[in-house]
Amino acid sequence: MRKWLALQLALCFVMAGVPSSAEGLRLLPADQFANWYYANPSGIRDIGDPQIFFAEGAYWCVATSSAFGYRIWRSEDLVNWDCQEAPAYSRSKESWSRGNFWAPEVYPYKGRYYLFYSARCKGKWDGMRIGIAAADHPEGPYVDLAPEPLFDPGYSVIDASFFVDDDGAPYLFYARDCSENVVDGVRESHVYGVRLKDDLSAPVGEPVALTRPDQAWEQDSGPEWLWNEGPIVLKNGDQYHLFYSANYYASKKYGVGCAVSKSPLGPYVKNSSNPLMRFMEWEGETLVSGPGHNSFLTTQAGDETFIVYHIHADPKVAGDDRQMCLDRMGFLADGTPYVNGPTLYPQLKPLEMIGMVSLLPQAVADSKAAECLHDGDYGISPLGGLGGRSFQGEATFRWSEPVSIQALLIYPAPGASGECSLSLGGGRTLTFELSEREKLPGASFRFHFEPVSATEVSIRTDGAVCEVIALGAQP
């Protein structure tokens, strides 16, 4: 399975963008643009619960990674990661913790970096608790703010994440662990939230219960143990979106769901379209197993957001050996969240990193139905399952002034077939068969060419297409 997958990935750059006909365009070899792309999973393996943040000119990754604390990785391109020699955090003799160091997340706050983490207690507290440590540099070393947990709710808590609202108010979200939470004879993990003091020294008021595992898909690895865990909040407009993971983390059924609220502490209503991300299969083979426990990475320019998560290193076995992945995500015009993942096919790095901009959102479509082709939702989903909105037919996108286009990427809907043709005016066209797409999650057609000036792009397709990306150099 893994050899087959490695071969498929190697062929991606060779086979990407091979049209059945091309007129008026000088296509360039795809391998010349390999540095524009990354592919999941990353080289960070034997971890869980990853988080990436940008600080001091580099990307940093922390994850469940050590019996005595946390390692940290550094990267400048989100592809090549160097594990730093010194750990980001190591348990001290004076620490309240004694083991089970899980789910770290680092956040810049008021001029310092704060590490929130879960660990098993020693002494009077017993069970799992949440700690907070701080450092002056992203790589650490992080030092506990106090010789005791952040707070003691009287039950085991894990998977802390931090959120600062627009008014500056800080919040903590976490999971009440199923190891000590029994509901009607069933062990359940529930998601909670609480306001923190501005100096992060303690909660303000009592924690609020936000979600419990009550949707059908969240009980796929039940019925005696159920989970809502790994919470993290992302705000879009005036809506608070609580992402969480459900099912057993070591099973392929582990996945990501979302709930929405008008307030950081709820009440939250779960999306009817959950899960947003889960395992993928193709012709009886499990290609992606257990995608979950996500965090988010927003680019420096603030115009792109990536979801960061782990998958099982061996999809046939699942278990504890996991690797980090990242994919784009966003929100549609109506506020609905989407996730362009999980993927195994090469995806574009952050556009600011490769000096490109997406041109189609600046154009006007002559068809309302065709607007889904630049809404950001690539239609990536469990193969054969639900996908994003798609377009079939003919449409034209027009710019008020000429733009310089250097590449086109087309994401067909899962299982789509039929002929697709793209025209840039002046007799410049690409024609290809949608069924020729690679059989990998997130596969697209990619065409690179010498820059051409155009005022419109037209599409004619017999099969369903979810997204078209036209790239041009940053001004």
Side-chain angles (χ1 to χ4, degrees):
M1 165 64 188
R2 305 307 291 180
K3 290 182 179 179
W4 171 83
L5 184 55
L7 176 61
Q8 288 286 79
L9 289 172
L11 290 174
C12 286
F13 286 112
V14 177
M15 299 182 65
V18 181
S20 56
S21 69
E23 297 180 9
L25 290 170
R26 182 184 175 187
L27 297 183
L28 302 175
D31 57 6
Q32 290 185 14
F33 299 86
N35 65 337
W36 283 18
Y37 299 89
Y38 74 93
N40 290 321
S42 76
I44 302 179
R45 181 170 175 168
D46 196 21
I47 56 92
D49 322 318
Q51 184 219 18
I52 299 176
F53 63 100
F54 186 85
E56 298 185 11
Y59 296 95
W60 303 86
C61 174
V62 290
T64 301
S65 53
S66 170
F68 305 104
Y70 303 100
R71 292 178 286 166
I72 189 164
W73 289 260
R74 183 183 186 278
S75 175
E76 295 184 355
D77 60 5
L78 293 174
V79 173
N80 300 290
W81 292 92
D82 294 321
C83 185
Q84 303 302 285
E85 183 175 349
Y89 174 86
S90 296
R91 177 179 63 87
S92 67
K93 293 182 179 179
E94 296 77 24
S95 174
W96 56 269
S97 59
R98 63 182 173 88
N100 295 119
F101 289 91
W102 298 341
E105 295 191 5
V106 172
Y107 298 88
Y109 181 71
K110 294 188 175 181
R112 300 194 77 194
Y113 298 93
Y114 289 86
L115 168 71
F116 294 81
Y117 67 94
S118 308
R120 189 165 299 281
C121 299
K122 61 185 180 183
K124 64 179 180 179
W125 295 287
D126 197 23
M128 298 290 295
R129 294 294 186 272
I130 290 166
I132 180 172
D136 294 322
H137 303 284
E139 69 270 28
Y142 289 83
V143 178
D144 284 308
L145 295 186
E148 58 189 29
L150 176 59
F151 69 111
D152 181 19
Y155 49 81
S156 279
V157 292
I158 61 173
D159 297 352
S161 69
F162 183 60
F163 172 76
V164 180
D165 208 349
D166 295 338
D167 61 0
Y171 293 85
L172 179 77
F173 296 90
Y174 64 89
R176 180 173 181 172
D177 189 48
C178 56
S179 63
E180 297 180 13
N181 190 39
V182 181
V183 180
D184 298 328
V186 178
R187 293 185 180 274
E188 296 187 5
S189 288
H190 297 173
V191 169
Y192 280 70
V194 66
R195 171 79 151 80
L196 292 179
K197 291 183 176 180
D198 289 348
D199 64 0
L200 311 184
S201 62
V204 176
E206 293 297 315
V208 180
L210 303 179
T211 73
R212 59 173 296 186
D214 53 9
Q215 289 189 319
W217 74 276
E218 300 169 356
Q219 303 177 42
D220 285 347
S221 59
E224 297 180 353
W225 294 74
L226 302 174
W227 289 267
N228 273 185
E229 63 178 21
I232 187 166
V233 166
L234 190 62
K235 191 175 183 182
N236 180 56
D238 62 352
Q239 293 186 322
Y240 299 81
H241 296 265
L242 172 63
F243 290 74
Y244 64 93
S245 295
N247 293 309
Y248 180 42
Y249 82 94
S251 77
K252 77 174 184 178
K253 300 293 183 69
Y254 199 55
V256 174
C258 186
V260 65
S261 174
K262 290 291 187 178
S263 167
L265 295 181
Y268 281 90
V269 177
K270 290 184 177 179
N271 294 22
S272 59
S273 58
N274 282 341
L276 294 184
M277 187 165 58
R278 68 185 312 184
F279 68 93
M280 286 190 174
E281 295 180 333
W282 178 259
E283 295 181 350
E285 289 275 8
T286 300
L287 301 184
V288 177
S289 173
H293 199 125
N294 74 281
S295 58
F296 297 105
L297 169 68
T298 300
T299 57
Q300 290 176 265
D303 55 357
E304 290 188 284
T305 301
F306 287 76
I307 185 170
V308 183
Y309 58 99
H310 66 233
I311 63 173
H312 297 123
D314 187 339
K316 290 184 178 179
V317 176
D320 286 329
D321 189 0
R322 290 158 289 171
Q323 290 180 279
M324 185 185 72
C325 297
L326 67 155
D327 282 303
R328 281 176 172 80
M329 63 82 56
F331 298 91
L332 301 177
D334 63 0
T336 302
Y338 63 83
V339 173
N340 291 328
T343 69
L344 294 178
Y345 193 84
Q347 304 297 316
L348 285 166
K349 292 178 184 177
L351 296 185
E352 64 187 34
M353 186 183 293
I354 62 174
M356 291 287 114
V357 294
S358 182
L359 298 171
L360 217 58
Q362 306 168 20
V364 176
D366 65 0
S367 164
K368 186 71 175 176
E371 290 181 358
C372 69
L373 295 178
H374 62 67
D375 63 1
D377 185 356
Y378 299 178
I380 299 165
S381 61
L383 299 181
L386 296 174
R389 296 187 302 158
S390 61
F391 174 79
Q392 189 170 347
E394 298 184 19
T396 298
F397 296 83
R398 293 183 174 88
W399 292 272
S400 57
E401 299 289 339
V403 296
S404 180
I405 304 175
Q406 293 181 231
L408 290 168
L409 283 74
I410 300 90
Y411 285 81
S417 62
E419 187 178 82
C420 182
S421 178
L422 291 169
S423 172
L424 282 70
R428 298 169 295 194
T429 62
L430 293 164
T431 303
F432 50 96
E433 290 291 331
L434 296 176
S435 60
E436 294 299 315
R437 180 181 63 170
E438 294 293 312
K439 307 302 183 191
L440 282 175
S444 64
F445 291 93
R446 296 174 293 159
F447 304 106
H448 307 87
F449 39 81
E450 293 184 345
V452 298
S453 179
T455 56
E456 64 180 43
V457 168
S458 297
I459 182 171
R460 178 185 59 77
T461 177
D462 299 331
V465 172
C466 290
E467 193 79 357
V468 175
I469 300 173
L471 295 179
Q474 290 180 355

